[in-house]
Amino acid sequence: FADDGDPVVAWHLKIRRIDAATGATEWTADRVGSVSGNCGVALHGDSVYSVEVVPGGHALRAFDLDTGAVRYTGPMMLGFTVQNTPMVAPDGTVYVSRTQNNVLTDFFYAFTDTGAALVQDWSVPAGWSTSSEFAVGLDGSPYMLGPGKVLQRRDPSSGAVTATSVPLASGTGN
């Protein structure tokens, strides 16, 4: 939701901002997500973040929250599908779990929005997940699914592992 309560909704082909008071569409932006489901967006400040299909893989893209215009696109992340929505930490770091059940392409990425570009800070191997929700702790540490079905807490500046769970039980969903 925007600060004024307007919902921002997304699916694999569009992002739309709706006026909370009237129900009117404020703007609609075209986009290309790789899968028809699980293509949400994340908001922070005056930006909407989306993972988009680009030549060779995917990229994080920043849209203007007021107009829906594309601001800029980050570097390419290898891989064919993305079924996880980006998330934004309170400090503005944007995280993306870009996985497709392939150790060559499954990574958890951290990006900084400089106001002029999306810069990749780090990436670390990730466990395969779809429709997943990740979190940032009170200390700013992102939590992610690591290889071997373990939850990992990561240092927000370097991506180094600071804590790891025992492997999740058999039958735990992706």
Side-chain angles (χ1 to χ4, degrees), residues 2-162:
D3 287 341
D4 65 358
D6 288 356
V8 177
V9 297
W11 60 99
H12 69 298
L13 297 176
K14 304 281 183 190
I15 303 171
R16 183 168 291 157
R17 180 174 178 167
I18 300 167
D19 186 289
T22 67
T25 297
E26 293 283 326
W27 54 259
T28 300
D30 292 329
R31 54 94 52 116
V32 179
S34 64
V35 181
S36 61
N38 312 316
C39 290
V41 293
L43 278 62
H44 188 267
D46 60 357
S47 293
V48 178
Y49 299 101
S50 173
V51 177
E52 304 286 316
V53 174
V54 297
H58 292 86
L60 184 66
R61 182 165 289 157
F63 292 81
D64 186 282
L65 179 60
D66 292 329
T67 66
V70 173
R71 287 189 170 155
Y72 30 81
T73 302
M76 192 265 297
M77 300 175 282
L78 285 175
F80 178 67
T81 62
V82 173
Q83 293 178 280
N84 295 316
T85 296
M87 71 171 186
V88 186
D91 71 356
T93 303
V94 184
Y95 295 102
V96 176
S97 185
R98 210 243 54 78
T99 65
Q100 67 182 47
N101 201 19
N102 181 333
V103 297
L104 299 177
T105 60
D106 292 359
F107 290 90
F108 188 81
Y109 292 85
F111 295 92
T112 295
D113 186 337
T114 67
L118 291 162
V119 177
Q120 182 181 319
D121 298 325
W122 48 262
S123 67
V124 295
W128 177 53
S129 61
T130 62
S131 312
S132 296
E133 300 283 337
F134 299 98
V136 174
L138 294 176
D139 66 353
S141 297
Y143 289 77
M144 60 166 288
L145 183 65
K149 285 192 144 185
V150 295
L151 295 179
Q152 296 178 328
R153 183 175 70 205
R154 296 281 178 163
D155 179 275
S157 60
S158 68
V161 173
T162 59

